[in-house]
Amino acid sequence: MNYGTGEGPVSIFCSDLDGDNDIDLAVANCTSHNVSILTNNGDGTFDSAVDYATGNGSQSVFGGDLDADEDIDLAVANWSGDNVSVLFNLTQNPANQPPEPFSLISPIDGSSVAETVTFDWEDAIDPNPSDQVTYDLYISTSIGFHPDSTIINSDLQISQYTETLNSGLHYWKVKAVDNWGAETWSDQTWNFSVTSVSVEEDLTEMPLFVSQNYPNPFSQSTTISFNLTAEFTENTEMIIYNIKGQKIRTLDCINYVNAASTRLMHSQKNYITWNGKDEKGKNVTSGIYFFILKSNNSILETKKLILIREK
């Protein structure tokens, strides 16, 4: 398919000239002393050319953000006129928007965890489709996040990170940043305590295995299974939280002894089922939740659950 331009086209430049995320064309026309702009219709076809005057003998065209307003301007080299024509882009592109608000997930506020901590937070959605979002995770031993007591893990590509920390009280928050530098902080700043666990304690107190809930996502009920040494089963509970960190329900364990595990590891296999109801027996809404396995007032494991109610 051919598209008309000015007379004597000798150079072409391709870029998104009108801010709609499609590639448009700019053509330098030597004989007619102008530049033809052909905007993309979004399906690979182009509108009729619109011509803009330049100096004499337009020979080459190139584009860049020459006036720092986040759109593409054009510079045209004019062979006969011995000069350069600059065409500023007057397209009113939408201003860049920062990522949308997002929440922390775990470790939850006021929790107690082992030294190896997995941080998890919601994905931050950016209103500008072409923007990419990265994350800066801030972990500090001071509530004011003093530089001398703060670890910053920058340019994280996903909304999860694992860090080994010393015992004590820690605070954490996350900053989402798009590729223009616009930023949004997490809705919360949470704290948690790191408790040291020795190798011997780890073998006797920590779960040998914790499975992801099944099914996941679920619409009615879901089951989590795990192995835990028998002496700590009685002090174990499962707590369900919503995405805001609000406690939804505390669940009891349903236990049976796995004979093979008892012989080998002195452990029990435990099952916990959640029916998607809160403490008052009311159905909770669809959304992201997470469960915390807690034994002897220590958090042993945290995992996500996704509830999707059938309409």
Side-chain angles (χ1 to χ4, degrees), residues 128-199:
N128 306 100
S130 60
D131 284 358
Q132 293 182 336
V133 177
T134 59
Y135 303 97
D136 297 341
L137 169 61
Y138 287 68
I139 309 167
S140 182
T141 55
S142 68
I143 192 170
F145 290 84
H146 190 278
D148 293 339
S149 59
T150 301
I151 301 170
I152 304 176
N153 299 286
S154 302
D155 299 323
L156 304 179
Q157 302 297 312
I158 61 174
S159 55
Q160 188 178 80
Y161 189 78
T162 299
E163 180 76 75
T164 300
L165 301 172
N166 295 326
S167 299
L169 183 64
H170 297 265
Y171 300 87
W172 73 291
K173 60 183 178 179
V174 177
K175 180 171 65 175
V177 186
D178 69 14
N179 44 303
W180 295 101
E183 60 187 46
T184 300
W185 286 96
S186 55
D187 290 336
Q188 310 91 352
T189 296
W190 280 352
N191 72 78
F192 61 94
S193 297
V194 173
T195 303
S196 177
V197 179
S198 68
V199 174

Side-chain angles (χ1 to χ4, degrees), residues 200-238:
E200 181 179 355
E201 289 172 333
D202 187 64
L203 291 175
T204 60
E205 296 186 24
M206 296 295 284
L208 304 175
F209 172 77
V210 179
S211 72
Q212 182 64 51
N213 60 300
Y214 181 83
N216 193 43
F218 68 100
S219 61
Q220 297 295 328
S221 64
T222 188
T223 299
I224 307 114
S225 63
F226 60 94
N227 289 343
L228 194 69
T229 52
E231 64 179 298
F232 294 100
T233 299
E234 296 179 358
N235 301 319
T236 300
E237 60 183 357
M238 187 73 70

Side-chain angles (χ1 to χ4, degrees), residues 278-299:
D278 61 17
E279 296 284 14
K280 296 181 180 180
K282 296 182 179 180
N283 287 335
V284 299
T285 60
S286 298
I288 296 175
Y289 296 84
F290 52 97
F291 67 81
I292 291 181
L293 177 63
K294 193 173 183 180
S295 181
N296 292 332
N297 295 318
S298 294
I299 291 178

Side-chain angles (χ1 to χ4, degrees), residues 15-24 40 42 93-94 127-131:
S15 186
D16 181 12
L17 301 177
D18 55 3
D20 62 357
N21 294 320
D22 298 317
I23 299 301
D24 310 304
N40 195 322
N93 292 331
N128 306 100
S130 60
D131 284 358

Side-chain angles (χ1 to χ4, degrees), residues 3-11 27-38 49-60 76:
Y3 295 91
T5 65
E7 297 177 9
V10 293
S11 177
V27 183
N29 306 305
C30 184
T31 305
S32 56
H33 316 302
N34 57 21
V35 168
S36 299
I37 304 297
L38 293 83
V50 177
D51 296 333
Y52 295 88
T54 64
N56 292 333
S58 309
Q59 191 75 21
S60 178
V76 184

